[in-house]
């Protein structure tokens, strides 16, 4: 099996979906933000604050290089900006989890641990700015995706099935 990369905007549910997919299909999953945090021994907000966004983007590229070299048959949930790494398409099948900005905002702000979910995302600190970022990235996400799964109004089971079916069809075609 090729790696599967889940990409998409902050708060669309990449991490939750990745964990459910891994459990359902018996594979391992890793998260690019977790890898970066453990390598730096600092949280994402602290990395942004102490070293700046461009340093974080450099760490994302290093993580992508490591994945290209060393990771196989794994589900990888990616930070919202990870789709910009140079070698994205060499890392595996790219699956976009897609939803409208309003749906994502509602999902994040009405979650049980909403404060925590927002606090760990420095680029979501101002909803206006986040909305602008969403509209800047919307087309780019779709451009790099091998498969687009709209998650709005779907159960987790439906989302998992759709990813699995789509990835299998792509594998047959290539
Ligand atoms: C970012 C998304 C975050 C994290 C960082 C930057 C982005 O990940 O990588 O705060 O540029 O969209 P999530 O998408 O998991 O929130």
């Amino acid at each position: 099996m090729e790696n599967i990369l889940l990409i998409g905007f902050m708060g669309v549910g990449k991490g939750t979906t990745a964990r459910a997919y891994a459990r359902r299909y018996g594979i391992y999953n890793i998260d690019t933000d977790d890898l970066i945090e453990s390598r730096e021994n600092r949280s994402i907000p602290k990395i942004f604050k102490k070293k700046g966004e461009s340093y974080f983007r450099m760490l994302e590229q290093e993580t992508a290089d490591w994945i290209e070299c060393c990771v196989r048959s794994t589900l990888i949930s990616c930070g919202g900006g990870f789709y910009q790494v140079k070698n994205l398409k060499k890392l595996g099948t790219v699956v976009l989890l897609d939803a409208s900005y309003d749906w994502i905002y509602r999902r994040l702000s009405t979650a049980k641990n909403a404060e925590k979910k927002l606090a760990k995302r420095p680029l979501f600190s101002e909803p206006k700015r986040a909305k602008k970022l969403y509209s800047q990235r919307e087309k780019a996400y779709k451009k790099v995706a091998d498969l687009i799964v709209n998650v709005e109004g779907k159960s987790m089971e439906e989302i998992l099935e759709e990813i699995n079916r789509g990835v299998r069809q792509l594998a047959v075609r290539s």
Side-chain angles (χ1 to χ4, degrees):
M1 168 196 138
E2 267 207 38
N3 292 326
I4 301 170
L5 283 94
L6 293 188
I7 66 159
F9 201 66
M10 292 174 276
V12 75
K14 289 162 292 179
T16 313
T17 307
R19 285 188 293 276
Y21 192 95
R23 195 169 58 235
R24 169 89 154 74
Y25 296 103
I27 58 173
Y28 285 100
N29 84 285
I30 57 177
D31 180 285
T32 60
D33 283 346
D34 291 348
L35 291 168
I36 289 170
E37 287 188 332
S38 70
R39 218 197 77 163
E40 290 290 291
N41 194 22
R42 265 196 188 131
S43 68
I44 302 291
K46 282 215 174 105
I47 298 171
F48 268 73
K49 207 169 155 206
K50 292 217 158 68
K51 302 274 195 147
E53 182 173 344
S54 57
Y55 179 77
F56 174 75
R57 298 300 171 202
M58 189 270 291
L59 294 174
E60 287 193 311
Q61 184 58 57
E62 282 188 13
T63 305
D65 294 343
W66 173 73
I67 292 170
E68 183 182 352
C69 133
C70 309
V71 180
R72 300 289 176 272
S73 307
T74 296
L75 179 66
I76 302 160
S77 60
C78 302
F82 191 83
Y83 75 99
Q84 299 172 90
V85 298
K86 289 192 209 97
N87 48 347
L88 183 79
K89 302 294 280 184
K90 290 187 183 161
L91 307 184
T93 306
V94 180
V95 179
L96 169 65
L97 297 188
D98 192 32
S100 67
Y101 177 80
D102 290 343
W103 186 89
I104 291 172
Y105 185 70
R106 224 176 308 125
R107 177 179 182 272
L108 277 184
S109 54
T110 59
K112 257 193 235 147
N113 45 354
E115 240 171 69
K116 199 173 148 209
K117 279 187 179 288
L118 290 168
K120 74 171 194 182
R121 297 183 162 97
L123 298 179
F124 224 116
S125 56
E126 292 166 50
K128 239 186 176 175
R129 211 175 129 212
K131 190 167 185 174
K132 196 168 163 213
L133 190 63
Y134 178 94
S135 50
Q136 282 166 354
R137 286 183 178 172
E138 212 178 350
K139 279 202 188 115
Y141 281 137
K142 291 191 172 139
K143 212 168 156 194
V144 296
D146 297 308
L147 177 71
I148 300 173
V149 175
N150 189 293
V151 298
E152 280 187 49
K154 288 186 188 145
S155 68
M156 183 52 79
E157 193 52 32
E158 286 171 321
I159 296 168
L160 300 185
E161 293 269 333
E162 207 172 314
I163 296 171
N164 189 253
R165 199 178 334 115
V167 166
R168 275 192 286 122
Q169 279 168 0
L170 284 168
V172 168
R173 264 184 251 152
S174 65

